[in-house]
Amino acid sequence: MSLPLYIHGSSDVGRQRSQNEDSYRIGAQPDGSRLLVVCDGMGGHEAGEVASQVASDRLVEVLSASTPDNPPRALYEAFVAANQAVLEAVGTRGAPGMGTTGVLAWVMGSRCYVGWVGDSRLYQFREGGLIERTRDHTRVAQMIAHGILTAEEARNHPDSHVLVQALGGSPGVQKSFKPEVWTEPLELRSGDVVLLCSDGLYDFIEDHELYPLIEGRDYQDAVTRLIQTANERGGADNITVILLVAGQPEVPRAVKVPREARRETLPDGMPLLAPAPPVPAAPEEPAAPAPAPRRREPMAPVMPTPAAPAEAVSSGKAGRRVPLWWLLATGILTMGVGIALGLGAGHTPPEPSTPAPVQGTSSAVAVDGGTEQDAGVARSGPPEGMGTPHTPAPAPNGSPQVTESGGK
């Protein structure tokens, strides 16, 4: 589906000129494309008028006969042909210095190819904002480009309209003649506005004032409003305007984006002008939650570990075990008691009436709910029929044996 185009143009002599040297053309091509041309003649009276008419007619004629295979190249060749046509008119009419500017838009659906020579301009607006504008071929524009002048200083500079390029014109201008053509087209969207004009308009209306004057207006009324405003502000030159609105007959209202909405393009939660915080490096593993602070318990004395570690003995109290050092100390104490009892039993005289050998009794000691038992020392009584008993010899192993309840 093609994008509908609403186009209107008009030219006015202004308030201080007696003759209009501007000219414009709006042409429909057989392939459905449109040609928009604005030319601003120079050379005084009839010379300027003739130059602008000759140039605009020649531009349309050449492009109407060309194929749209390479629009930028076709535009360049059309300007070369228009320049030659003006130079021929100079020779015919005998008016040295006769020349004109020219700006052209070749609109093919949603594409707009642009070329120009001199200081007539083309603007493209979208949602009320200026997104494209041609560059003037003037001495002052060159000084701005090289940083010699600022835009404010150039505004009222005496050379502000001294051209360095034109169609026709003086030999000096012809020496640097080279049409400027954008190799890539403007892309048109519904609601876009394209404005072509001569310097009689923008000399009295600043770039930032253009769209507010026409927003919300019908495309034809918008052209009238621009010319009227330039005349109200002096109208010192001829004023020519062509306006194109894509997709609708009215110039859309400017989109006013609140400041807060612009923050959507910044990192979440960041103020508009705040510097970006440093981004922390991603941890290799997720950090474990910090453990709750725990109360430190006093540590028990560390005893040497025996070759075969003994198992802790249950104390009979739920949730608590007897320390190993306590078991070792208790075992040593029990051993000592057992030895003392054994030695005491060894010095007890046997009863005379008992002829059998006397067996030593073993002592048992309760240890924290368990039982530890020392093995008695075996002793032999005197042979039957013998006299006084003798002192028994110590056990061969020379040490008591200790058995822990529950041990292995």
Side-chain angles (χ1 to χ4, degrees):
M1 182 177 178
S2 61
L3 188 66
L5 304 175
Y6 297 86
I7 304 170
H8 181 63
S10 183
S11 186
D12 188 83
V13 67
R15 298 281 180 88
Q16 300 182 25
R17 297 289 180 92
S18 59
Q19 188 170 347
N20 192 349
E21 298 181 351
D22 291 355
S23 64
Y24 72 95
R25 300 287 185 272
I26 300 175
Q29 302 292 86
D31 60 359
S33 62
R34 302 295 184 89
L35 290 174
L36 315 180
V37 181
V38 170
C39 292
D40 181 0
M42 57 187 183
H45 298 292
E46 184 180 353
E49 179 183 5
V50 171
S52 64
Q53 290 179 354
V54 168
S56 57
D57 289 343
R58 186 60 174 157
L59 287 170
V60 172
E61 180 184 358
V62 172
L63 290 175
S64 297
S66 65
T67 60
D69 297 337
N70 190 343
R73 183 67 183 177
L75 281 175
Y76 187 91
E77 293 176 351
F79 276 107
V80 172
N83 181 61
Q84 185 61 35
V86 173
L87 291 176
E88 292 174 359
V90 169
T92 302
R93 296 182 176 268
M98 182 178 71
T100 184
T101 67
V103 59
L104 186 150
W106 192 1
V107 185
M108 303 177 180
S110 62
R111 296 171 298 164
C112 178
Y113 292 91
V114 179
W116 73 99
V117 174
D119 62 354
S120 292
R121 292 180 180 176
L122 178 144
Y123 297 83
Q124 183 185 9
F125 299 94
R126 178 171 295 160
E127 297 180 342
L130 176 62
I131 61 174
E132 293 289 353
R133 201 203 81 178
T134 55
R135 179 186 59 181
D136 298 342
H137 294 154
T138 61
R139 186 178 297 171
V140 166
Q142 288 182 334
M143 289 189 285
I144 293 174
H146 289 85
I148 299 173
L149 292 177
T150 65
E152 187 64 30
E153 292 171 340
R155 193 179 308 278
N156 298 316
H157 196 278
D159 292 341
S160 59
H161 289 289
V162 176
L163 299 176
V164 295
Q165 283 198 60
L167 299 172
S170 65
V173 171
Q174 281 297 301
K175 187 176 181 180
S176 58
F177 175 80
K178 184 180 180 182
E180 189 162 354
V181 178
W182 284 333
T183 57
E184 296 296 328
L186 303 179
E187 294 295 334
L188 300 180
R189 301 179 186 176
S190 182
D192 282 6
V193 175
V194 176
L195 170 67
L196 289 77
C197 64
S198 62
D199 59 356
L201 180 75
Y202 67 76
D203 276 351
F204 299 95
I205 304 175
E206 300 291 341
D207 288 0
H208 67 272
E209 297 178 298
L210 291 170
Y211 202 87
L213 286 171
I214 61 176
E215 63 175 335
R217 294 177 179 270
D218 175 81
Y219 69 107
Q220 294 177 331
D221 183 37
V223 171
T224 302
R225 176 60 177 155
L226 288 173
I227 293 175
Q228 179 184 356
T229 302
N231 278 325
E232 290 172 353
R233 296 183 180 184
D237 199 354
N238 307 143
I239 310 160
T240 302
V241 175
I242 297 177
L243 189 73
L244 177 152
V245 183
Q248 61 187 60
E250 290 186 356
V251 177
R253 292 283 181 180
V255 175
K256 301 184 184 303
V257 180
R259 181 181 297 270
E260 291 76 8
R262 298 181 183 178
R263 298 185 185 179
E264 295 177 0
T265 60
L266 301 175
D268 293 339
M270 185 185 301
L272 180 63
L273 300 178
V279 179
E284 296 182 358
E285 296 181 358
R294 288 193 278 183
R295 181 181 170 189
R296 291 184 62 89
E297 299 281 349
M299 296 182 64
V302 179
M303 301 299 292
T305 304
E311 293 186 359
V313 178
S314 174
S315 66
K317 296 181 181 180
R320 184 170 182 180
R321 292 179 179 274
V322 179
L324 182 60
W325 65 270
W326 174 260
L327 294 177
L328 294 174
T330 305
I332 294 171
L333 178 60
T334 305
M335 187 187 302
V337 173
I339 294 172
L341 292 176
L343 292 177
H347 289 284
T348 303
E351 296 181 5
S353 61
T354 306
V358 179
Q359 298 290 333
T361 60
S362 62
S363 61
V365 181
V367 181
D368 198 13
T371 302
E372 291 191 1
Q373 184 175 8
D374 64 307
V377 179
R379 298 189 300 274
S380 297
E384 188 175 350
M386 293 293 292
T388 307
H390 66 276
T391 305
N397 54 9
S399 62
Q401 295 180 358
V402 180
T403 302
E404 293 182 0
S405 174
K408 293 182 180 179

